Amino acid sequence: MASGMSNWGWRRWAGAVAITAGVLAAVVCLRSQRPQEPAQAQVPRSAPKQAQAPPTPAAPKPTRVPKRLDPRRLKIVAIVNGQRITREQLAQECMLRYGPDVLDSLINKELILQYCERRGIKITQEEVQAEIARMARRFHMRPQEWLRLLEQERGITPQQYANDIIWPTLALRRVAAKLLEVTPEEIQAAYETQYGPAVEVRMILCRTREQAEKVLRLAKARPEEFEKLARTYSTDPVSAGYGGRIPPVRKHLGDPRLERAAFALQEGQISNVVPIDGGFVILKCVRHIPDRMKEFPLEKVRKQLEQMVRDKKEPLVARQVFQKLRKAARVLVIYGYPEREKQYPGLAALVNHRQITREQLALACLERHGTEVLDGMINRLILFQEIKKEGILITDQDIRQEVQRAAEAMGVVDAQGRPDLQRWYAMIQEQQGLDRQRYLREIVWPTVALKKLVLRRRPEQVKVTPEDLRKAFEANYGPRVKCRAIVLNNPRTAQIVWEKARANPDPIYFGQLSSKYSVDANLRVLNGEIPPIQRHSGRPVLEREAFALKKGEVSGIIQLKDKYVILFCEGYTQPQKVTLEEVRDILEEDIYEKKLRRAMAAEFASLLDQARVENFLANTRHVPVRQARTPVPSSR
């Protein structure tokens, strides 16, 4: 029986061996989304973006993506402004962060390896390379292109990908071949999901039945205002911004109760309250979408559907297999248990009496997470060096006040309205996987340090001006333009679509054009509907064109970088009935926090520019950029 193993072990491993397709999709998406805004640093991942802590910019990025070096050959992994970071320091940091997770994966891989040895199951290098090629073809890439992309975007080396992802996936398939068989019923269900009929609906999500029944009465009384009710009452922030629009409901894909309710509706009809996991919904049918089964007969797409079902089943099968292997195995986890570490020096675990050493664990942590962790160590060292140079002290009181500010900003308070730090730390642990010490060291301390640097060096850049207040008031409380949009990626198509829209300036027709031509998938699904456009949102060209329109007018072709946008004005929202003086305190606090975050990001970017960093692990070098500090864009 396993001893000391985390209950999450099989989940981590099951995710690893079945994640290949997901990794592909994530990497391709990452390519298309760059450049990205720096990650927000201080609050749980599920927190609203506007309430998050200041961003911490990434480490200096080279202009090329060089080949990483083998960490086993390095004693010094980086030199930062003359100060060394050793391999042992990096390994310790990697193990501190990822040791338990990586050890779980090593144990699980050892379990399946031992099982394969007992059963005479062999996975050849030819099979591994063939699977890599198959996965690359799914995204229309050559294997080398795919492996290079994995390393550039996800930090997964070809060796790691082959050994830690592809090999276990193939071994799992061989071990659980019968469990991974796809039945005719599963293929039929997948066929109906992909090519069967669908229902386009609007949705209002409520947390309680009582609230849902109240909203339902309003919707039944004023069905034409369903969109407005969704924006006002729905607790799903994504669909609420689009008047309750969600992707079309398809069979066998989501909550069966929601599916039954959607398919039972006629066009324009409003459902009763439907209980689902996570709340209660009210649906309004927009239209029924016919199936595409004649265009795509089952026999024509059977192979793709079979592979899709198999990919979906792999995580569940992995769970069953590893539960069975674990139940029969003798596993002793040593790493993380001080008494066991004394009894078994140099070992991290025993798996059926076979050893996993601490050196093996350290190397696995370095190979999988070394580059990422080293970036963080470099960032913090640069910041620490600058704080020391300026003679700035960071006290325990500073740290505590920042934690209290973050908890209060996220509404984590007790009955008296005071920050509930115990609950806040628990949220950080649950949602970000950071224990208290790591949170304070890796997130809170850098935040406090950057704030103190900014307030000493850039105090003028966080000052709130009357112009800031005016723009913020107009943006938050002024009228907004209700529009539909079509987004295209070449001027010729944009001209053709614009002429069609201008010839028939009707919202329904414009929505159909967006559904047919937009390169944005969300716009196609939502018939061009977008959240109302506000002033001073950082898109001056789009805002100027939108606010120049009258109801029923079509804009010209608006070029935004490499995209071409056409708008249809459906009217304006009413400005809120408040004065600037009534909301001055709220706006000042919000503007100050935004300007402070931007100034912090700019200050850190300047520190990185001026740093001399030799990263031997990533095989990169960054030399100081001799220029003035990065200016901070104006805030609203």
Side-chain angles (χ1 to χ4, degrees):
M1 296 294 291
S3 174
M5 284 299 297
S6 162
N7 290 331
W8 295 93
W10 69 262
R11 296 182 188 176
R12 296 189 184 106
W13 184 253
V17 298
I19 204 169
T20 308
V23 169
L24 277 160
V27 169
V28 173
C29 288
L30 278 171
R31 270 204 311 184
S32 65
Q33 290 173 354
R34 288 190 171 181
Q36 292 182 316
E37 184 178 344
Q40 305 295 323
Q42 191 169 329
V43 296
R45 290 188 290 267
S46 60
K49 186 174 182 180
Q50 63 269 22
Q52 293 179 347
T56 300
K61 291 186 177 180
T63 56
R64 62 187 180 90
V65 182
K67 183 178 181 180
R68 291 191 296 174
L69 299 183
D70 187 343
R72 290 173 293 189
R73 300 180 181 179
L74 299 172
K75 291 184 178 180
I76 305 300
V77 293
I79 300 176
V80 182
N81 295 323
Q83 189 169 345
R84 295 178 173 183
I85 299 175
T86 67
R87 177 186 181 276
E88 288 71 22
Q89 289 173 321
L90 177 58
Q92 185 64 31
E93 188 75 13
C94 287
M95 290 176 68
L96 181 65
R97 290 195 191 187
Y98 297 107
D101 286 356
V102 173
L103 182 57
D104 273 348
S105 70
L106 293 178
I107 289 170
N108 283 322
K109 185 176 179 180
E110 182 63 33
L111 284 171
I112 198 168
L113 177 62
Q114 292 179 18
Y115 182 90
C116 289
E117 288 175 351
R118 291 195 301 271
R119 298 299 178 95
I121 297 173
K122 294 183 179 179
I123 306 298
T124 66
Q125 280 300 311
E126 289 74 16
E127 290 174 301
V128 170
Q129 294 304 316
E131 179 67 8
I132 291 173
R134 186 185 73 84
M135 297 306 298
R137 284 196 301 272
R138 291 181 63 181
F139 281 80
H140 311 290
M141 295 182 186
R142 291 190 293 271
Q144 290 306 312
E145 291 175 333
W146 165 231
L147 292 173
R148 186 164 55 250
L149 184 63
L150 270 176
E151 187 164 13
Q152 292 174 359
E153 303 286 359
R154 304 289 282 190
I156 301 173
T157 65
Q159 182 179 4
Q160 181 187 341
Y161 182 59
N163 294 341
D164 296 337
I165 296 179
I166 295 299
W167 185 91
T169 299
L170 295 175
L172 176 67
R173 287 177 187 166
R174 194 77 62 82
V175 170
K178 290 184 178 180
L179 293 175
L180 283 172
E181 289 180 356
V182 178
T183 66
E185 292 77 15
E186 289 171 327
I187 291 179
Q188 182 62 36
Y191 183 54
E192 292 176 4
T193 298
Q194 295 296 315
Y195 302 103
V199 188
E200 192 176 316
V201 299
R202 294 183 186 272
M203 177 191 78
I204 300 174
L205 173 66
C206 299
R207 290 192 177 92
T208 66
R209 179 177 283 277
E210 181 182 10
Q211 177 71 358
E213 294 288 356
K214 173 186 173 182
V215 175
L216 177 62
R217 289 193 292 271
L218 296 174
K220 294 278 190 180
R222 301 192 297 272
E224 71 281 359
E225 295 186 6
F226 195 92
E227 296 175 45
K228 183 178 179 181
L229 293 172
R231 282 191 285 267
T232 303
Y233 292 104
S234 183
T235 57
D236 175 37
V238 177
S239 63
Y242 292 93
R245 274 289 181 93
I246 61 174
V249 178
R250 299 184 177 277
K251 293 182 178 180
H252 317 298
L253 192 60
D255 193 308
R257 294 167 294 185
L258 187 145
E259 291 174 15
R260 286 194 297 270
F263 278 93
L265 294 174
Q266 300 298 317
E267 188 172 318
Q269 187 179 1
I270 296 174
S271 73
N272 292 321
V273 173
V274 182
I276 63 169
D277 294 337
F280 300 84
V281 299
I282 305 160
L283 304 176
K284 181 179 181 181
C285 178
V286 177
R287 66 186 178 108
H288 282 261
I289 302 172
D291 66 65
R292 299 179 295 156
M293 292 178 170
K294 289 184 178 179
E295 184 181 356
F296 298 95
L298 177 56
E299 292 308 314
K300 183 178 179 180
V301 295
R302 181 181 294 276
K303 287 186 178 180
Q304 298 100 294
L305 293 173
E306 185 175 345
Q307 185 60 50
M308 184 178 69
V309 173
R310 185 174 288 107
D311 289 343
K312 186 177 180 181
K313 291 177 72 172
E314 277 186 358
L316 300 176
V317 170
R319 174 179 180 176
Q320 297 174 29
V321 168
F322 285 116
Q323 282 180 335
K324 183 178 179 180
L325 293 179
R326 287 247 178 135
K327 189 175 181 180
R330 294 184 62 84
V331 176
L332 179 67
V333 176
I334 300 167
Y335 176 74
Y337 294 84
E339 291 301 318
R340 296 178 188 174
E341 289 175 346
K342 293 178 183 177
Q343 186 179 358
Y344 301 96
L347 298 185
L350 291 171
V351 183
N352 293 325
H353 305 293
R354 191 176 292 182
Q355 297 178 354
I356 297 175
T357 67
R358 287 181 68 95
E359 180 61 26
Q360 287 175 303
L361 175 59
L363 182 59
C365 288
L366 280 171
E367 288 177 340
R368 299 182 192 188
H369 304 290
T371 303
E372 165 209 341
V373 173
L374 183 56
D375 279 349
M377 293 178 72
I378 290 170
N379 284 351
R380 289 195 300 277
L381 182 54
I382 290 171
L383 187 54
F384 178 80
Q385 291 169 343
E386 202 69 17
I387 288 294
K388 185 177 180 180
K389 185 192 303 181
E390 289 286 339
I392 295 174
L393 296 178
I394 297 176
T395 66
D396 290 343
Q397 181 64 19
D398 293 329
I399 297 295
R400 183 173 179 82
Q401 286 178 352
E402 177 59 27
V403 175
Q404 290 174 334
R405 184 207 64 79
E408 189 173 13
M410 291 306 303
V412 183
V413 296
D414 59 21
Q416 287 74 42
R418 296 172 301 193
D420 188 338
L421 298 189
Q422 185 175 356
R423 187 154 60 95
W424 177 245
Y425 287 129
M427 287 176 61
I428 294 292
Q429 176 72 55
E430 179 183 355
Q431 298 183 15
Q432 288 196 4
L434 295 175
D435 61 33
R436 177 174 174 171
Q437 292 306 314
R438 279 190 59 200
Y439 169 62
L440 295 179
R441 181 170 61 93
E442 298 176 18
I443 305 298
V444 180
W445 186 90
T447 299
V448 174
L450 271 174
K451 280 186 178 180
K452 289 202 166 191
L453 275 176
V454 164
L455 294 177
R456 174 170 293 190
R457 293 177 170 178
R458 303 169 179 256
E460 74 287 349
Q461 292 178 349
V462 297
K463 182 180 179 181
V464 179
T465 67
E467 180 69 3
D468 292 329
L469 286 169
R470 180 188 67 80
K471 290 181 176 180
F473 181 73
E474 290 179 356
N476 289 280
Y477 300 100
R480 303 184 182 192
V481 189
K482 296 189 292 185
C483 287
R484 294 181 187 247
I486 303 171
V487 177
L488 305 130
N489 58 8
N490 71 79
R492 178 175 296 182
T493 305
Q495 184 66 37
I496 293 171
V497 174
W498 178 78
E499 290 175 0
K500 290 176 180 288
R502 184 182 63 167
N504 183 13
D506 174 78
I508 303 300
Y509 179 66
F510 191 91
Q512 292 170 349
L513 290 176
S514 186
S515 180
K516 182 176 181 180
Y517 291 103
S518 272
V519 296
D520 184 286
N522 288 328
L523 289 179
R524 292 198 301 270
V525 170
L526 300 172
N527 288 334
E529 291 191 20
I530 60 174
I533 297 172
Q534 66 186 73
R535 294 187 186 274
H536 314 300
S537 64
R539 303 168 297 177
V541 175
L542 188 70
E543 293 164 23
R544 183 170 60 250
E545 293 288 340
F547 279 90
L549 295 174
K550 296 179 181 178
K551 184 176 181 180
E553 287 185 343
V554 176
S555 74
I557 299 170
I558 309 164
Q559 184 173 355
L560 300 176
K561 295 184 179 179
D562 61 340
K563 296 293 187 291
Y564 301 85
V565 180
I566 306 168
L567 299 176
F568 179 87
C569 179
E570 295 189 280
Y572 288 75
T573 65
Q574 291 297 316
Q576 298 187 39
K577 296 180 180 180
V578 294
T579 66
L580 175 57
E581 290 306 314
E582 290 175 312
V583 295
R584 177 182 292 274
D585 291 345
I586 297 173
L587 292 177
E588 280 188 342
E589 181 178 356
D590 182 64
I591 295 168
Y592 176 81
E593 286 296 329
K594 288 178 179 177
K595 295 187 96 172
L596 180 59
R597 287 200 300 271
R598 292 177 182 177
M600 289 165 67
E603 177 65 28
F604 198 76
S606 177
L607 296 182
L608 296 182
D609 284 343
Q610 301 307 314
R612 181 180 294 275
V613 178
E614 292 181 276
N615 186 329
F616 302 116
L617 184 63
N619 197 20
T620 62
R621 173 180 292 178
H622 180 273
V623 296
V625 178
R626 300 300 178 188
Q627 59 183 28
R629 288 197 181 106
T630 307
V632 180
S634 61
S635 178
R636 290 173 291 281

